Amino acid sequence: MPNLRPIDYGSYTITGTAGTLWSFADGSMPSSNVAQSLSFKGTLETASIRVRSDGVAPTASEGELVNPGDSITLDSSEVGGQWNAIRTGSTSAVLKGHYYNLPAIQVK
């Protein structure tokens, strides 16, 4: 099994406007190491969200439901813009996790 060593960390606040992972970045974007990453794995906190990985924006009632405590693993194409999310209610959700230089299939 490959050595799982994160190359960066990110914290994201998912709001009531649909967007990509990077559009929800708290503070500044993660470092330039993100460009070298092949995947992101994080845990959803605070509130439920809906997501789509086909490049189409979800709505508060349409898309795959992800609940607090669920793990989210994204490959490089999803991190780069295919993955879109939106909160389902009035409370913004927080997603915190690490970037890896391994494909998503290897960090699950």
Side-chain angles (χ1 to χ4, degrees):
M1 172 152 223
N3 186 6
L4 253 186
R5 189 171 300 155
I7 61 173
D8 211 334
Y9 172 83
S11 178
Y12 306 92
T13 299
I14 300 170
T15 65
T17 302
T20 64
L21 181 64
W22 292 343
S23 70
F24 297 119
D26 293 343
S28 62
M29 275 292 295
S31 75
S32 60
N33 289 338
V34 170
Q36 302 168 13
S37 72
L38 298 176
S39 60
F40 169 86
K41 182 176 182 180
T43 302
L44 185 65
E45 303 175 0
T46 316
S48 296
I49 62 173
R50 292 212 179 255
V51 301
R52 289 187 63 160
S53 292
D54 57 359
V56 176
T59 67
S61 60
E62 186 60 45
E64 182 179 353
L65 182 64
V66 183
N67 292 303
D70 289 350
S71 178
I72 294 175
T73 304
L74 306 174
D75 70 23
S76 58
S77 69
E78 292 171 309
V79 169
Q82 285 294 107
W83 186 85
N84 288 270
I86 191 170
R87 69 183 187 208
T88 60
S90 60
T91 302
S92 292
V94 175
L95 174 62
K96 296 182 180 200
H98 289 91
Y99 290 89
Y100 297 91
N101 62 350
L102 296 171
I105 193 77
Q106 293 181 319
V107 297
K108 288 191 176 201

